[in-house]
Amino acid sequence: MSSKLKETFSGGVRAKRSGQAAAPSALEGPPAPAALAAKVRTLGPTMTRSMQRVAEAVAGDPAGCAALTVTGLAELTGTSEATVVRTARVLGYPGYRDLRLALAGLAAQQQSGAAPAVTADIAVDDPLSSVVAKLAQEEQQCLADTAAGLDTTQLEAAVSALVTARRIDVYGIGASNLVAQDLAQKLLRIGLIAHAHADPHMAVTNAVQLRGGDVAIAITHSGRTSDVIEALRVAFDHGATTVAITGRPDADVAQYADHLLTTSTARESELRPAAMSSRTSQLLVVDCLFIGVAQRTYDAAAPALSASYEALAHHRHGPRRP
């Protein structure tokens, strides 16, 4: 293990992932019954195999499992009572009793023939006016949860690294790349050298060129996107200061991050997956980074931003006449 990695782990930046999923923040509260299946899909890959058996059982047969005691569910899944309780907590419930109540509610909803959910709160037959209101409320909650959970000490440290960076690389795949592009273009417009990389081969090729004084930023909601993690690892090994923006602070990406910025774990559904919801939180963190850098470099950032607006003015209003 490199001295930098030892310092990161022993200094308390972030401990290496233990291999067991962490319980969701209390700020999120227990998920609604209809969100249970989505929660299982999202967190299942981070669970142990025995916990996965419990999670799959409750998502697959909520009515049957709601009728079971903790001992009965443990016997049904071939696990232990402690595993059942741990699974309930990972899924967002304080204990098995709360999970059981949610299962009963989900079973009742299924038996009533209620319209299927598009998201945890939106049904297929909801009018668009309700969809707008519910999505707006969800987005607001997502932002509030991210703001409440964001470690400002880590944020300040990341801003400080960006202010003095010789070069900045930002890595993201899929929806996260849209956020990476947003951050890179913001930093470019205030005079920093920043580039976003979506191609995993180019990301690693560029990461090899980073040195001390450079900054690499990985954006991955799951914290498990291998192409993003590989680029961050290479940057880490070459001495760059590394930052991870993720909804899973216990996931693989954390072991190569000097500074970890966490986003809320948004609820997902088949028509509104985490890739959509996570962008809201990621963009908030990106804006916080950008404003922090702009504040610290205002004397240079303000003229650079004005110059970029001036250079692009004719694209908004048509070319200037001679």
Side-chain angles (χ1 to χ4, degrees):
M1 180 183 294
S2 69
S3 60
K4 186 177 181 182
L5 189 57
K6 291 179 180 177
E7 179 183 351
T8 298
F9 290 174
S10 63
V13 174
R14 285 293 180 268
K16 184 179 290 187
R17 183 168 68 88
S18 63
Q20 178 173 306
S25 166
L27 291 170
E28 296 176 25
L36 182 59
K39 204 78 172 176
V40 171
R41 288 195 301 272
T42 302
L43 297 178
T46 70
M47 295 178 180
T48 63
R49 184 63 195 117
S50 58
M51 292 171 68
Q52 286 176 352
R53 290 201 298 273
V54 176
E56 290 165 1
V58 298
D61 183 16
C65 292
L68 298 174
T69 64
V70 64
T71 303
L73 184 55
E75 291 176 351
L76 175 69
T77 56
T79 60
S80 65
E81 294 179 8
T83 297
V84 172
V85 173
R86 281 198 301 271
T87 305
R89 289 176 177 168
V90 167
L91 290 174
Y93 302 93
Y96 179 64
R97 177 179 176 276
D98 302 275
L99 173 60
R100 195 175 176 185
L101 289 173
L103 291 173
L106 179 57
Q109 184 183 71
Q110 291 175 344
Q111 292 170 3
S112 70
V118 174
T119 75
D121 302 310
I122 299 174
V124 167
D125 57 359
D126 274 351
L128 276 177
S129 58
S130 295
V131 171
V132 170
K134 290 177 179 180
L135 286 180
Q137 183 178 14
E138 184 176 330
E139 298 286 357
Q140 290 169 3
Q141 188 62 55
C142 195
L143 291 171
D145 290 348
T146 297
L150 193 58
D151 187 333
T152 53
T153 300
Q154 292 293 308
L155 182 63
E156 286 278 4
V159 167
S160 295
L162 289 171
V163 166
T164 59
R166 178 185 69 96
R167 170 178 158 185
I168 301 161
D169 274 10
V170 192
Y171 314 124
I173 300 295
S176 292
N177 181 251
L178 301 177
V179 181
Q181 294 282 353
D182 184 70
L183 176 57
Q185 68 90 12
K186 280 182 166 69
L187 296 176
L188 279 169
R189 293 188 70 175
I190 58 173
L192 277 66
I193 300 175
H195 301 283
H197 302 286
D199 183 285
H201 294 170
M202 289 301 298
V204 171
T205 299
N206 279 271
V208 169
Q209 307 302 321
L210 298 182
R211 299 291 183 268
D214 297 330
V215 175
I217 301 174
I219 304 177
T220 164
H221 178 66
S222 69
R224 299 169 63 87
T225 308
S226 58
D227 289 334
V228 172
I229 294 171
E230 176 63 11
L232 194 71
R233 181 194 66 76
V234 172
F236 184 97
D237 289 344
H238 282 76
T241 298
T242 53
V243 180
I245 300 174
T246 181
R248 304 276 186 254
D250 62 334
D252 299 354
V253 72
Q255 64 183 307
Y256 302 114
D258 293 312
H259 309 299
L260 195 59
L261 305 177
T262 57
T263 59
S264 71
T265 305
R267 293 178 297 179
E268 68 166 3
S269 71
E270 291 182 5
L271 295 187
R272 194 166 192 262
M276 295 173 66
S277 301
S278 64
R279 280 205 307 272
T280 301
S281 297
Q282 292 171 345
L283 287 169
L284 173 61
V285 175
V286 160
D287 281 349
C288 290
L289 285 171
F290 170 70
I291 293 298
V293 172
Q295 286 177 321
R296 297 271 292 272
T297 62
Y298 184 79
D299 289 343
L305 195 57
S306 295
S308 69
Y309 274 119
E310 177 66 20
L312 295 173
H314 71 281
H315 290 284
R316 294 190 294 271
H317 307 295
R320 283 185 284 183
R321 294 180 180 178

